[in-house]
Amino acid sequence: MAAASSSSCLATHDSPRHKYNPSRNTNLYYSPLNLMNQNQPRLLYNTPRCSSINDNYIGIGSSLSKSERQFQPVCSLVNFQSSNRPRSPAMADPLTNGAGSSHLLRHVSSLAANPPSRLNAVVLGDALASEENDLVIPNPDFSAQAHVPSPAEYLDMYKRSVEDPAGFWSDIASQFYWKQKWDSPVYSENMDVSKGRINIEWFKGGITNICYNCLDANIAAGNGEKIAIYWEGNELGVDATLTYSQLLHKVCRLANYLKDIGVKKGDAVVIYLPMLMELPIAMLACARIGAVHSVVFAGFSSESLSQRIVDCKPKVVLTCNAVKRGPKVIHLKDIVDAALADSAKNDTVVDVCLTYANESALTKESTKWVEGRDVWWQDIISKYPNSCDVEWVDAEDPLFLLYTSGSTGKPKGVLHTTGGYMVYTATTFKYAFDYKPSDVYWCTADCGWITGHSYVTYGPMVNGATVVVFEGAPNYPDSGRCWDIVDKYKVSIFYTAPTLFVTRYSRKSLRVLGSVGEPINPSAWRWFFNVVGDSRCPISDTWWQTETGGFLITPLPGAWPQKPGSATFPFFGVQPVIVDEKGAELEGECSGYLCVKSSWPGAFRTLYGDHERYETTYFSAFPGYYFSGDGCRRDKDGYHWLTGRVDDVINVSGHRIGTAEVESALVSHPQCSEAAVVGVEHEVKGQGIYAFVTLVEGVPYSDDLRKSLIMTVRKQIGAFAAPDKIHWAPGLPKTRSGKIMRRILRKIASRQLNELGDTSTLAEPGVVDQLIALADS
Ligand code: WTA
């Protein structure tokens, strides 16, 4: 049975990726919270799934997935028979003081014999530890050097952060550069719709600039010659580096150019660039002059790009002529041309299209050109000086807009402001990755998504980190590319979405691993931990969203024992609450809707041009709280387990796609009369897109039509949103009031046909049998 559906109200998102067996729960597990205070024993289970169990025997093998079979468990398994289970909670902690004297703890000698980094399995007789009872204890050497070395330290800091947020955050913010300090109060908020307009402000009146904090401040601190960016091109052997001083020069030249063409503080700039160095350069240049960037992921179609251009009306679009991703050339400028033509029809004329000539993908001569509007980046930028005054802005002045999917077809323009976002992304980066100045950090996300904003550009660079920026695809020229890059740059912190890679290369430089974008299932977690990290590197499974600006729930490496698949505990200042459908806060072990009480500095402040939608989408469902749209389970030890979206949003390879967006693209096809889209489990992508399509009467099913429907979605949204499966539907299961019963569609899509539940309330129950009959046609 799936985690979320076992006891909760969240019947809609019972993700099979998150399996655990509640019947295997054991009460022999000791909470790390208790450990701190009471010297209780620690139990650890860190091994591939065990396939057969009886009192004395644990078999490992047949049910292991391929990735798990690649490594032999480093474990020695210690099996407790029922009579030998530890029962007393008042025992010494065998790891910290070696005083495990009780015969009940037969694993003590085994633990002592193994270095803690290779810590192993303690299996409790027939009650094999379930997922939630697995504890991976941090390597003491790692903890000793970590920013937060123990649960006690975390708790001290966390306690202060929620009891005295103003004091906690102003102490941290004081370490940044402010032209002028903020007024008191440090923050003000109203997160309760019943009390009026939703409003969040941090460090208001403080005058700063995030680009200054990223570049000038680090250079002033003596780090001008430190590498800011290692850029790795799509092709092997094509690379470049920029020091902090060189990066500043490039940013200033572009900033001067933007000013020269009339871009001023508060103006929007749309950036449609792949992962060239010019992408972070463009973001920083906008920030330097107080312009508001709106980065559009360069995988979006011209229609999506145009929609975003029309919404924020930029003076200029920054792009490049083309890019190679793997062996494929993508003509980005053609997409921009089409988008700008489209925008012009919607009263939005963009005067300038600054185009970087990426000649490894396409020559200048072969690039289509609109005279008078298009300008070659390299030709013009070099004419501008390499220093540029900073536009000092208020902490609450906007920094950027980033469109994200919601449950309607229209994307939401999430607006982040400057000061709180800066403090929050930099601080979460430092703690969640245990960042040290000697680290080389690589986040595989594209700057077109929030992860690339907060954790490729701003968070790391405010910390003066060395960041790897990779233009290409992880499987080109082969699937060892990621490890090639890790070894080449001696990457020590590697942050990615949970996608599986083939293992080879040394990866010895790795110190911390990070994961984001979707629930990481426990077996993938173990693979990441054991294979990628050689059982040496803690994993930061960071839960957060475009809206939250930075991590909200995340492990702090070295502080807490981890549980494979759990995002663990809240970051400083974050108060997650789990509520039931009536909005009542649930205590202790529970599952429900994940909300947050009180604001944190990195929270978004509004939806661009639509504050009402901001309030209704995020603050009305459960008055008094920010509602994330995610389901969550909290176990008896307080660990958080994300269970996926509870609204109509799908996470595909860490990209967030609204089912409504895909549906509206499908129904725009002349032969489609109705469509319903659901997410299904997908081995590689986390979730795949599964579309039920009803055709206009008389239109026959055909493979060509299937392809043409998929093409329509690719064209309107982008290739990453293409449905994995089109399921022909003579009709859709609807209630008598006409509401589509998505629950049933999800079950059909995942072929859980004996779990369809009660279908008698459907307007036409026969529809279900028709759908099943067509399932594999
Ligand atoms: C999902 C990406 C489980 C979640 C940063 C959230 C996660 C959505 C995790 C936001 C995680 C993100 N475990 N689920 N560690 N991190 N999610 O806005 O459903 O693109 O609501 O931001 O991704 O996606 P977004």
Side-chain angles (χ1 to χ4, degrees), residues 530-704:
N530 286 306
V531 179
V532 177
D534 288 330
S535 312
R536 182 185 69 236
C537 310
I539 296 178
S540 282
D541 173 5
T542 60
W543 175 79
W544 62 298
Q545 307 176 298
T546 305
E547 293 85 342
T548 69
F551 310 149
L552 291 196
I553 301 181
T554 177
L556 299 183
W560 287 97
Q562 294 198 257
K563 296 191 185 189
S566 165
T568 72
F569 296 98
F571 192 72
F572 305 128
V574 176
Q575 299 183 61
V577 293
I578 298 177
V579 302
D580 65 15
E581 55 283 71
K582 297 199 184 76
E585 224 175 292
L586 302 173
E587 298 292 333
E589 194 180 352
C590 60
S591 42
Y593 301 96
L594 180 58
C595 292
V596 187
K597 188 158 62 176
S598 331
S599 71
W600 61 99
F604 68 140
R605 305 300 199 248
T606 191
L607 290 178
Y608 180 69
D610 201 347
H611 197 74
E612 198 182 321
R613 188 173 178 198
Y614 172 70
E615 295 185 343
T616 48
T617 310
Y618 300 100
F619 296 93
S620 299
F622 305 111
Y625 305 116
Y626 164 75
F627 173 44
S628 66
D630 279 334
C632 183
R633 176 168 184 282
R634 189 170 51 217
D635 70 21
K636 58 187 180 294
D637 307 305
Y639 282 71
H640 293 80
W641 301 79
L642 277 301
T643 51
R645 300 286 308 194
V646 293
D647 56 9
D648 296 323
V649 174
I650 311 178
N651 292 321
V652 181
S653 302
H655 300 158
R656 196 166 135 179
I657 298 163
T659 54
E661 281 173 86
V662 182
E663 285 163 9
S664 67
L666 286 169
V667 297
S668 74
H669 190 286
Q671 290 172 317
C672 172
S673 75
E674 197 169 17
V677 167
V678 296
V680 280
E681 181 182 8
H682 189 289
E683 207 175 313
V684 178
K685 298 195 267 187
Q687 278 190 296
I689 300 180
Y690 195 112
F692 292 87
V693 170
T694 307
L695 297 177
V696 168
E697 220 174 310
V699 175
Y701 305 139
S702 74
D703 270 348
D704 282 348

Side-chain angles (χ1 to χ4, degrees), residues 29-222:
Y29 169 80
Y30 297 98
S31 152
L33 280 166
N34 298 339
L35 277 179
M36 288 174 357
N37 306 324
Q38 297 170 22
N39 280 341
Q40 292 178 351
R42 293 177 178 185
L43 303 181
L44 175 79
Y45 170 75
N46 172 27
T47 163
R49 263 193 322 271
C50 297
S51 56
S52 59
I53 306 142
N54 64 31
D55 249 13
N56 290 307
Y57 170 75
I58 301 160
I60 299 180
S62 58
S63 73
L64 297 187
S65 69
K66 193 163 155 245
S67 58
E68 286 170 330
R69 255 181 264 129
Q70 288 173 2
F71 69 98
Q72 283 304 306
V74 290
C75 320
S76 56
L77 294 174
V78 184
N79 183 14
F80 290 91
Q81 293 188 18
S82 347
S83 57
N84 287 340
R85 286 179 196 160
R87 293 192 194 283
S88 158
M91 257 175 277
D93 178 344
L95 284 182
T96 50
N97 60 15
S101 56
S102 166
H103 71 283
L104 296 177
L105 279 175
R106 282 208 257 137
H107 64 301
V108 171
S109 53
S110 153
L111 294 179
N114 286 291
S117 63
R118 310 220 106 204
L119 265 185
N120 295 327
V122 175
V123 180
L124 306 171
D126 51 352
L128 172 66
S130 70
E131 307 299 2
E132 79 164 61
N133 289 329
D134 298 358
L135 258 197
V136 177
I137 295 176
N139 178 332
D141 294 340
F142 190 102
S143 299
Q145 61 79 60
H147 290 306
V148 184
S150 66
E153 201 100 359
Y154 163 83
L155 284 180
D156 273 356
M157 288 175 76
Y158 181 73
K159 201 159 169 272
R160 175 163 185 238
S161 74
V162 294
E163 287 173 2
D164 174 23
F168 180 87
W169 286 112
S170 59
D171 282 357
I172 288 183
S174 302
Q175 298 159 24
F176 294 69
Y177 182 84
W178 300 84
K179 184 88 181 151
Q180 187 184 308
K181 231 183 142 190
W182 50 92
D183 310 330
S184 47
V186 177
Y187 73 103
S188 64
E189 69 182 30
N190 172 38
M191 294 182 54
D192 190 340
V193 269
S194 66
K195 297 194 178 130
R197 185 185 158 88
I198 298 294
N199 181 51
I200 297 171
E201 288 178 343
W202 281 83
F203 312 114
K204 179 125 176 113
I207 304 294
T208 188
N209 182 292
I210 196 170
C211 175
Y212 185 91
N213 274 280
C214 286
L215 305 181
D216 312 59
N218 282 312
I219 294 166

